[in-house]
Amino acid sequence: GAGVSQSPRYKVAKRGQDVALRCDPISGHVSLFWYQQALGQGPEFLTYFQNEAQLDKSGLPSDRFFAERPEGSVSTLKIQRTQQEDSAVYLCASSLSEGLNNEQFFGPGTRLTVL
Amino acid sequence: RKEVEQDPGPFNVPEGATVAFNCTYSNSASQSFFWYRQDCRKEPKLLMSVYSSGNEDGRFTAQLNRASQYISLLIRDSKLSDSATYLCVVRGNTGKLIFGQGTTLQVKP
């Protein structure tokens, strides 16, 4: 069956540009997470949605980062005025319900390079 | 100090070897623990959960020591296909996953 999909898979932006990264979770999955993975590091949590509600945004590194999930399905992570330190792979994960023990399934990620 | 710490390696071992990875976590209230596997330029995938009593899945054995806040993964009879990065993971509040840096394993013929 269809897993988590993300688009674009690769994005090159000039410093100062705004970017929008899309995540399509597995159909019916209530919980959606965004993570940032820098080169040579493990993924780091950015934000969490339960349906359309953003319940935790404690990992967003600055107010340039904004995420939304208006209809409780597709989510978009927007980065304004990109900086070189934003270069990373952005991973989206979804899980079936809000239960803490549900497995998170990851998408292939969007590799962002800021020049 | 990072919440989850791992030796990044790399660990270079011959086929058939037994290799062990360790990690420590800082939040004593943590309740759920996992090992994820990540292949080069791919997404992380769940390898196995880690239970207090220890658990085994084929050639893989995971152990948890709550008193020492220490998690381990043992791989027996290594295969070339085991070459990957192994991520130690603790579940935080709201269900978010807290990852270690990852340990790179390279199995050589």
Side-chain angles (χ1 to χ4, degrees):
Chain A
V4 178
S5 60
Q6 293 186 244
S7 61
R9 292 292 312 278
Y10 302 90
K11 177 69 179 177
V12 178
K14 290 183 179 177
R15 193 164 52 127
Q17 276 186 330
D18 297 349
V19 298
L21 313 179
R22 176 186 168 110
C23 171
D24 283 81
I26 294 171
S27 178
H29 277 198
V30 167
S31 298
L32 186 146
F33 300 82
W34 283 99
Y35 296 87
Q36 179 192 59
Q37 187 171 22
L39 190 64
Q41 301 297 315
E44 293 201 2
F45 169 77
L46 293 176
T47 188
Y48 160 59
F49 290 87
Q50 184 178 311
N51 295 304
E52 69 279 3
Q54 190 175 19
L55 298 186
D56 185 351
K57 53 182 181 179
S58 62
L60 296 176
S62 78
D63 59 8
R64 297 186 295 105
F65 286 71
F66 171 77
E68 60 184 4
R69 194 186 185 198
E71 296 177 0
S73 178
V74 171
S75 178
T76 304
L77 176 67
K78 297 179 180 177
I79 310 174
Q80 296 177 321
R81 304 180 304 282
T82 52
Q83 304 294 314
Q84 284 188 318
E85 63 262 28
D86 300 336
S87 295
V89 176
Y90 290 85
L91 293 162
C92 176
S94 70
S95 65
L96 183 59
S97 74
E98 59 269 27
L100 295 184
N101 292 323
N102 288 290
E103 180 180 350
Q104 291 184 27
F105 295 89
F106 283 81
T110 294
R111 184 174 297 273
L112 173 66
T113 303
V114 181
L115 304 177
Chain B
R1 184 189 168 195
K2 290 178 82 73
E3 286 194 62
V4 180
E5 299 216 44
Q6 292 181 254
D7 177 353
F11 284 60
N12 295 300
V13 303
E15 267 187 296
T18 296
V19 61
F21 306 136
N22 307 310
C23 90
T24 57
Y25 61 95
S26 60
N27 185 351
S28 59
S30 300
Q31 294 296 316
S32 301
F33 310 90
F34 311 92
W35 284 100
Y36 272 70
R37 171 188 169 132
Q38 187 170 29
D39 291 290
C40 189
R41 302 180 82 86
K42 299 282 190 182
E43 70 273 22
K45 291 186 178 176
L46 179 64
L47 178 66
M48 59 197 300
S49 301
V50 186
Y51 302 114
S52 297
S53 53
N55 49 297
E56 192 173 303
D57 182 0
R59 297 181 292 108
F60 298 82
T61 301
Q63 297 273 358
L64 168 65
N65 183 322
R66 286 187 184 272
S68 304
Q69 295 177 210
Y70 174 95
I71 306 164
S72 66
L73 177 68
L74 184 78
I75 306 175
R76 290 181 299 278
D77 188 22
S78 311
K79 312 291 185 192
L80 295 176
S81 57
D82 294 335
S83 298
T85 295
Y86 291 84
L87 296 157
C88 178
V89 185
V90 174
R91 193 189 299 273
N93 59 350
T94 71
K96 67 187 176 191
L97 299 180
I98 303 165
F99 290 81
Q101 179 181 357
T103 299
T104 299
L105 172 66
Q106 192 66 242
V107 181
K108 300 198 181 291

